[in-house]
Amino acid sequence: MHKFRQNLAHLYMLLFLVFLLAPLVVMSGAAFNDSKLPSVVPWRGFTTMWFSEMIRDERMMLAFANTLWVAAAVALLAVVVGTAAAIMVNSISGRLRTILYGMMISTILIPGVVIGISTMILWTKMGNAMGTEFFLFNPGLHLSVLGQVSYIAAMVMLLVLARLQSFDSGLEEAALDLGASHAQVMRRILLPHLYPAIAAGAAVAFFQSIENFNVTQFTRGGSDTLTVYVFSKVRSGITPTINALAFLLICVTLVLAVLYEINRRRRARIEAAREAEARRAEEAALL
Amino acid sequence: MSAGIDLENVCCDFGTFRAVDNANVSIRPGEFFSFLGPSGCGKTTILRMVSGFIEPTQGVIRIGGEDVRGKRPNQRPTALIFQNLALFPLMPIWENISFGLEVRGVDKATRRKKAEDLLQLVDLPGAADKMVSQLSGGQKQRVAIARALAVEPQVMLLDEPLSALDLKLRQHMRAELRAIQQRTGVTFIYITHDQGEALAMSDRVGVMSQGSIQQIADPREIYNNPVNGFVASFVGENNVFQGEVQHAAAGMASFTTPHGQFRARLGDLSGKIGKLYVRPEHTIITATPAAENSVPVTVSDISFEGSFIAVHATSDTGAHLTSELRNDGSATVPEKGVRVHMSFDPARAAILPDANVRG
Amino acid sequence: MQDLIRRYGPGLTLLMGLLVAFWLVMLVIVPNITLFEQSFRPYLPVVEVGGPKDTYSLNNYLKVFDGNVDRSFLGFEFSIPVHVLTFWLTIFYSMVVTFLCFLLAYPLAYYMAKIVNPRSLPTLILMLFIPLWVSEVLRAFAWWIILAFKGPLNALLLGLGLIEDPIRWTNMGYTGVVIGLIYTYVLFMLFPIYNAIQSLDTNQIEAAEDLGAPWWKIHWRIVLPHSKPGIASGSVMVFMLSAGSLLVPSILGSTTSQWFTQTIDQWFKDALDWNTASAYAFLLLLLCTVFVTIAMRLFRVKLSDIAK
Ligand SMILES: Nc1ncnc2c1ncn2[C@@H]1O[C@H](COP(=O)(O)OP(=O)(O)OP(=O)(O)O)[C@@H](O)[C@H]1O
Ligand SMILES: [Mg+2]
């Protein structure tokens, strides 16, 4: 009976993985189907033509480039702001902490539509009020960046804060005691400890930004990002060039994920070896 | 290259709680000075005030004669060794050791050289390129000391540095620390709640209780002539008798207890009630009553402790008393259940007040 | 605050303070206040903004009640304003999505935390993460392909002989939307529950088994109560994301499935009436706040628990 339930569980996991991954397979498969409509059925033969078509689709390539720079800008800003916020929240206490932390977290829960519209209204109204044509106050992807940062920074903040929890503030004091300035403590002691979380935060911010539709849709003005472009294409007739791009993105993601995992295992191995050495030294000292 | 430290009427409050109360101590240059006291008595607080992480609420701290109020930790000639060592886990050992030089802008080659010299000094050659997690507890200890020595401090402050180690290693490191201190000549302020550690290593010891310093003296004095009951019982074992002082003269007094009249040295009671303290190893056990200070007891248990034998006995009033006999064959060990007499030399017993604390 | 200055010095503290202030004030508080303020103003041509007609009123909010449609539910005939209907259907189907996500995710979360061989867990998690890294629009698009009338799903079902004729998936009310939302957001339910169950001491389960409790009772009395905070945060996340989603309803919706965010989008993009769009957006924000508050009361969790 127990065995049966166990097998049922394995089966369930398998089905779940199929449910999650099959759509991606279908989408990738459609990139190689020689059919004008993106689909895997009916199969009209293998082709790589959609990849060359994709390169020639200038609007799409532009949207892709836009997506990348928006994501990079969001990652940069969100990491700077989110890290500062995490360090701040970590070393204050009491009411102020509760309020600040609550406000930061609630940004994750604000619907993207609301963020998009409010960001758009604020900056354009501000431009109108000042009577300026300065680009910052016009609709455009830079407003998308600001809108996206407003909640992605909170995600970075949470990641960095979790990492800060494992930080021994005694290290800061030790460094100060040895004569380091506050800036040196930050650069040599605190930030190196946070780098893994900051890197993870940057990755999350980058992908969250690529993923974002709601905020971008309301703030972008006339520019496209990939998400917006695909969205408009699904409505107005789509070709498998999108699938070709999707396939490439999935491949990049996979490669990154595998590299990450390999690196993680390597580190774990090194750490285990070090601890074993420490144990041996301990035993040797006791003899 | 070492400095003396003076605390003058130093107090430290956390809110309404007074962690350190009116501390006065003058530590000489090159001295190995220990603060000894139970957990939470304010030892770490004193150390953090000297190193500059907290400011005293009242009073003056002088290092090398100079008032250091308002000076930040990195402006004081002190180096602190933290209770948990606080080694930087992401830097190799040599960078850890030379960190204090790095932040002062010393070039890399000089730093590396200095780190290797210091590793030699603390008897850990060849560890320069290892990571912190590769070292055993004792080795980390040495690295922490080397790191503190690298900035050539005039005063080293050590906060229970051995508490995380195994017993055997701890005893080994005691001698090691003492040797390093003597090699470098730097003033050491050492904090511990382990009396054995404090007595074995220090030139002088300050015993603390609940924020106030009870006694400052060399280890022998602390053990043989404690000023009050707290010091007597925190540093070593005692047989304690309650009673009343009768005739006091020439530093001696008679003391009336339920067990009879005793004679003992009279400590500074300052009007407070006193108790009589006598160490187990200062008592003797005889078959017949001694001339004075003798209590009839029944032996309840014998425990063999290696270098000595502890005789546990109960008096007629039900008090538990202990006597320690050296295991050198000089004394006869009584049988369990036998009635004997326990006595002690008046010069080896003292009438002392309770601890010297507020309230 | 003193602690902050003591640890990092006045300069760095000021810098961090400014960064945080920029975020919370310029990117969050002021925009939302502006949105709120604008939602009470009428939509006017630019020249009339600030003129005599530019007065505060509730008119934008009252537009929700315009234009009734007739509906029947459980035999009751009633007429209801079309935007109110959209609003309720959005909430209703978001709840359906949340509940289905929970049903799907709970067994797998338990499996990951307690059954699977810990050595293969990182690989499993990595595989689960892949769809999360692929952008939302592409995930919705994948389902658009799958659910197409001549798409692979119908082909598969026809091939297996499970159906006689192909089904118009994307023309069955909210079916497409619900499937798409589940696929897109189920992982936001899975990981919080997994984290919660993982912190449950396996000995507790074994002790219960040892005492003879049947498997369902173990779940009902031990595992479920323990994973409550995870369920709460997962539910809040999935509900908020679903109710706020614009992409999935737009791509996978049918002619009869209107989502509240789509209505907002139409006010903003098609009617160019930003003020009414603000009013509607504010209603959505209000709804979400109310939902989160109720969920937190119900499950007795704090906001800080929700952020895993
Ligand atoms: N920052 C602080 N705020 C409030 N109270 C404190 C603070 N630091 C220490 N205390 C209190 O002051 C008292 C003395 O603390 P201290 O750390 O000096 O003790 P200690 O003698 O070093 O003890 P231990 O042997 O446990 O390290 C303790 O009761 C402690 O609770
Ligand atoms: Mg301490």
Side-chain angles (χ1 to χ4, degrees), chain B residues 44 83 159-160:
Chain B
T44 299
Q83 207 159 354
D159 189 353
E160 308 203 23

Side-chain angles (χ1 to χ4, degrees), chain B residues 77-195:
Chain B
T78 58
L80 181 59
I81 296 201
F82 288 71
Q83 207 159 354
N84 65 356
L85 303 186
L87 295 178
F88 307 130
L90 300 177
M91 299 182 195
I93 299 305
W94 80 270
E95 280 189 29
N96 254 288
I97 293 177
S98 62
F99 182 81
L101 304 175
E102 180 190 329
V103 299
R104 286 173 176 75
V106 176
D107 70 283
K108 189 168 169 182
T110 317
R111 278 189 279 138
R112 174 88 199 193
K113 174 86 180 49
K114 177 93 183 182
E116 278 170 4
D117 290 349
L118 282 164
L119 280 172
Q120 204 76 44
L121 178 81
V122 297
D123 197 18
L124 203 62
D129 290 308
K130 292 195 175 176
M131 295 303 279
V132 175
S133 58
Q134 281 169 278
L135 301 188
S136 71
Q139 292 172 325
K140 283 183 193 157
Q141 199 69 60
R142 292 162 207 249
V143 173
I145 292 164
R147 185 178 73 178
L149 286 172
V151 294
E152 296 179 357
Q154 297 176 17
V155 182
M156 284 268 269
L157 309 168
L158 301 96
D159 189 353
E160 308 203 23
L162 305 185
S163 58
L165 303 183
D166 287 322
L167 181 66
K168 207 162 169 190
L169 201 55
R170 203 152 62 208
Q171 274 163 355
H172 176 66
M173 284 305 290
R174 276 185 198 175
E176 194 85 353
L177 268 179
R178 179 76 189 157
I180 291 173
Q181 193 258 342
Q182 262 154 17
R183 244 176 284 161
T184 56
V186 173
T187 315
F188 269 43
I189 302 187
Y190 189 91
I191 278 193
T192 180
H193 60 246
D194 178 335
Q195 44 131 339

Side-chain angles (χ1 to χ4, degrees), chain B residues 24 54 61 63 68 81 90 113 116 123 130 134 136 143 149 170 188 196 235 241 255 259 284 296 298 304 316 357:
Chain B
N24 279 291
I54 36 185
I61 298 176
I63 301 178
V68 291
I81 296 201
L90 300 177
K113 174 86 180 49
E116 278 170 4
D123 197 18
K130 292 195 175 176
Q134 281 169 278
S136 71
V143 173
L149 286 172
R170 203 152 62 208
F188 269 43
V235 185
F241 298 97
F255 197 67
H259 309 278
I284 35 182
T298 311
F304 181 72
D316 295 345
V357 289

Side-chain angles (χ1 to χ4, degrees), chain B residues 131-320:
Chain B
M131 295 303 279
V132 175
S133 58
Q134 281 169 278
L135 301 188
S136 71
Q139 292 172 325
K140 283 183 193 157
Q141 199 69 60
R142 292 162 207 249
V143 173
I145 292 164
R147 185 178 73 178
L149 286 172
V151 294
E152 296 179 357
Q154 297 176 17
V155 182
M156 284 268 269
L157 309 168
L158 301 96
D159 189 353
E160 308 203 23
L162 305 185
S163 58
L165 303 183
D166 287 322
L167 181 66
K168 207 162 169 190
L169 201 55
R170 203 152 62 208
Q171 274 163 355
H172 176 66
M173 284 305 290
R174 276 185 198 175
E176 194 85 353
L177 268 179
R178 179 76 189 157
I180 291 173
Q181 193 258 342
Q182 262 154 17
R183 244 176 284 161
T184 56
V186 173
T187 315
F188 269 43
I189 302 187
Y190 189 91
I191 278 193
T192 180
H193 60 246
D194 178 335
Q195 44 131 339
E197 223 167 271
L199 298 185
M201 297 161 76
S202 324
D203 294 321
R204 283 192 303 155
V205 179
V207 183
M208 291 185 68
S209 169
Q210 295 182 34
S212 50
I213 300 178
Q214 306 291 322
Q215 182 173 11
I216 299 170
D218 64 53
R220 196 180 292 212
E221 180 75 7
I222 293 272
Y223 189 82
N224 290 336
N225 284 319
V227 296
N228 59 36
F230 174 80
V231 177
S233 41
F234 192 73
V235 185
E237 302 295 318
N238 295 281
N239 291 306
V240 185
F241 298 97
Q242 301 205 348
E244 241 174 85
V245 178
Q246 299 278 277
H247 318 281
M252 302 296 281
S254 8
F255 197 67
T256 317
T257 74
H259 309 278
Q261 281 278 1
F262 294 145
R263 223 158 54 80
R265 284 186 293 118
L266 181 62
D268 177 14
L269 291 184
S270 332
K272 276 183 249 170
I273 298 174
K275 294 190 188 114
L276 189 151
Y277 294 83
V278 58
R279 304 259 185 227
E281 71 269 26
H282 294 157
T283 59
I284 35 182
I285 293 212
T286 46
T288 51
E292 60 173 345
N293 292 354
S294 185
V295 192
V297 294
T298 311
V299 177
S300 58
D301 196 17
I302 310 275
S303 57
F304 181 72
E305 306 276 351
S307 61
F308 65 90
I309 296 159
V311 178
H312 299 282
T314 319
S315 73
D316 295 345
T317 55
H320 295 284

Side-chain angles (χ1 to χ4, degrees), chain A residues 83 86-88 90 159-168 190 193-194, chain C residues 7-8:
Chain A
T83 306
I87 294 174
M88 198 152 166
N90 188 51
L159 283 168
V160 176
L161 195 61
R163 177 87 187 159
L164 270 170
Q165 239 98 74
S166 68
F167 180 71
D168 170 16
L190 184 59
H193 179 82
L194 296 182
Chain C
R7 282 175 74 171
Y8 304 110

